[in-house]
Amino acid sequence: MSKTVRVRVRMLAREVHKVCRVRAVVRRDVGMVTSEYAVGIIAAVGFAALLYKVLTSGEVSAALQGIVERALDVRM
């Protein structure tokens, strides 16, 4: 083999090695995606419950009702 061919073969081998390492890292992280989604869903449900409690409280409900009544009383 000529020197040029050997150099190119080595470069190609290095690139293949890099791709294999990247694939190994991706395979390790595949299982984490489901747990991240689960944590995100739990956080979203918790935030929705908190928002529901705030919006159905007496003061906020009265304020929202007042806004709607004022909007309906506007003359056009």
Side-chain angles (χ1 to χ4, degrees), residues 5 13 16 20 24 26 28 32-34 36 41 43 46 53 56 58 63 69 74 76:
V5 172
V16 168
C20 289
V26 169
R28 260 196 319 250
M32 294 179 64
V33 173
T34 304
E36 289 171 355
I41 290 171
K53 280 293 195 181
T56 57
E69 286 176 359
V74 173
M76 298 215 162

Side-chain angles (χ1 to χ4, degrees), residues 2-68:
S2 70
K3 184 176 180 180
T4 305
V5 172
R6 277 186 266 154
V7 169
R8 288 187 179 176
V9 168
R10 282 189 202 132
M11 289 173 51
L12 182 59
R14 286 184 190 135
E15 292 302 316
V16 168
H17 181 67
K18 287 179 187 177
V19 169
C20 289
R21 280 190 296 165
V22 168
R23 283 186 175 176
V25 169
V26 169
R27 283 188 196 137
R28 260 196 319 250
D29 290 343
V30 169
M32 294 179 64
V33 173
T34 304
S35 63
E36 289 171 355
Y37 281 127
V39 170
I41 290 171
I42 291 170
V45 169
F47 181 72
L50 178 67
L51 187 61
Y52 176 77
K53 280 293 195 181
V54 168
L55 290 177
T56 57
S57 68
E59 295 175 4
V60 174
S61 181
L64 290 174
Q65 187 174 359
I67 291 171
V68 171

